[in-house]
Amino acid sequence: MKGLKKLLSLGLVLALAVGVVGCSSKSNATKLDQIKENGKLIVGLNPDYPPFEFPKVENGKDEVAGFDVELANKISKEIGVEVEIKKMGFDGLIGALNANKIDIILSGMSPTDERKKSVDFSELYYVTKNAVIVREGDEGKVKTEDDLKKLNVGVQKGTIQEEYVRDTLKMESMKSLTNVPDLVLDLKNGKIDAIVVNETVGMINTKQYDGIKLATSGLGDNVEEGMAAAIKKDDNNKEYLELINKVIKDLKDSGEIDKMLENATNLAAKGGN
């Protein structure tokens, strides 16, 4: 009987040891390991930012297309998994990433110092400038920052343009909305006088919507906007970040990244069809 108790006790100890080892190995799994185990890369983005991400109807289904979606496909292919897109407001992306609801942000996000406190960024995959959209006929009204300060300006919530207008220009007359199309509607209806966006997004929107144009503007020194992928700040994410940077570098070196942007721009100009 004592021998049986010893065997049972030994079995329990071994079972607990195996459980501890299993939990330990799982907790030490890198983010890249977790993505591979899940079989998918969960991408967070705001789908109203052409040509980087925008709605598209494919075989009767509502899909999301654009440059960032293509970049997500390249990264997922390198990992060997599928892509799952999660659509949300731009200002909610970092919170979703840090809550482990998504694996990566690919949504035209700029690596500002403030954001770097919360997430880790890849190398830049695109650099552009800020621009101003106005109603047709008002193109000459915004030539300097001082001109812009006299207007009621709209920006997309959570973007570097919002920070620029609020923190650099110190403008009190500013309207922040979640999506650029809503800002365009307000501009056309006279509720705002101008929209500050990145130049590529501005060009696409002026092609998509009648009655609006890009202003001839000079926005001082703070005009460039770089875009990068964002992942959760974690010591276990080093290999994951290196893989993302490798994909970006390979696409730049081969020139394929320029073709991706051109294709996305052409598709966005056609309204995603």
Side-chain angles (χ1 to χ4, degrees):
M1 192 71 176
K2 289 182 179 179
L4 180 59
K5 286 183 178 180
K6 286 183 179 180
L7 286 173
L8 289 172
S9 298
L10 180 60
L12 181 59
V13 170
L14 288 172
L16 288 171
V18 170
V20 169
V21 171
C23 291
S24 176
S25 61
K26 191 171 184 179
S27 64
N28 289 332
T30 66
K31 184 62 179 179
L32 197 54
D33 291 333
Q34 293 171 12
I35 292 170
K36 289 177 180 179
E37 184 178 344
N38 291 337
K40 60 185 177 182
L41 177 71
I42 304 175
V43 180
L45 53 76
N46 176 268
D48 294 302
Y49 204 58
F52 298 96
E53 38 269 332
F54 51 91
K56 175 186 177 184
V57 178
E58 187 76 31
N59 297 323
K61 294 182 179 180
D62 292 331
E63 304 286 349
V64 181
F67 177 88
D68 284 328
V69 177
E70 289 305 307
L71 180 55
N73 288 332
K74 299 292 185 183
I75 294 170
S76 67
K77 185 177 179 181
E78 183 74 18
I79 299 173
V81 296
E82 301 295 321
V83 168
E84 179 182 326
I85 300 293
K86 281 200 174 181
K87 300 179 285 186
M88 59 190 71
F90 189 85
D91 55 338
L93 288 168
I94 289 180
L97 181 67
N98 286 325
N100 296 313
K101 294 180 179 179
I102 56 177
D103 300 319
I104 187 171
I105 297 171
L106 283 169
S107 195
M109 182 170 282
S110 299
T112 64
D113 290 339
E114 186 63 30
R115 289 172 182 159
K116 287 178 182 178
K117 296 175 184 177
S118 304
V119 299
D120 284 333
F121 283 98
S122 69
E123 297 295 326
L124 297 179
Y125 59 77
Y126 185 64
V127 177
T128 185
K129 293 183 178 181
N130 288 340
V132 180
I133 301 175
V134 293
R135 285 183 293 276
E136 189 171 4
D138 290 346
E139 294 93 322
K141 287 187 176 180
V142 186
K143 295 182 179 179
T144 66
E145 289 180 337
D146 287 337
D147 292 336
L148 190 64
K149 289 178 182 180
K150 299 172 185 177
L151 304 178
N152 185 13
V153 174
V155 290
Q156 187 181 24
K157 191 177 293 184
T159 62
I160 192 172
Q161 286 80 26
E162 183 182 46
E163 294 179 18
Y164 168 68
V165 172
R166 182 190 63 223
D167 302 335
T168 302
L169 300 185
K170 308 293 184 183
M171 290 181 62
E172 296 180 0
S173 182
M174 178 184 76
K175 186 172 187 178
S176 298
L177 296 178
T178 302
N179 300 316
V180 174
D182 293 334
L183 290 167
V184 172
L185 184 62
D186 274 6
L187 176 64
K188 294 182 72 172
N189 289 336
K191 294 181 179 179
I192 55 176
D193 302 314
I195 307 169
V196 180
V197 293
N198 97 40
E199 191 174 46
T200 305
V201 173
M203 286 190 293
I204 288 296
N205 277 276
T206 54
K207 289 180 180 179
Q208 285 184 317
Y209 299 100
D210 295 330
I212 61 172
K213 296 290 183 180
L214 282 181
T216 304
S217 61
L219 299 181
D221 296 327
N222 191 6
V223 295
E224 285 198 342
E225 177 187 9
M227 298 180 183
I231 64 171
K232 190 173 182 180
K233 191 178 285 292
D234 193 311
D235 291 339
N236 284 334
N237 287 351
K238 183 179 179 182
E239 185 183 6
Y240 179 32
L241 188 60
E242 288 175 349
L243 181 144
I244 295 168
N245 283 333
K246 177 184 180 301
V247 172
I248 292 171
K249 183 178 185 303
D250 289 347
L251 290 172
K252 283 183 174 180
D253 289 347
S254 67
E256 189 174 354
I257 203 160
D258 297 323
K259 295 177 182 177
M260 287 165 54
L261 182 61
E262 182 181 357
N263 291 339
T265 301
N266 291 335
L267 183 60
K270 295 176 182 177
N273 298 316

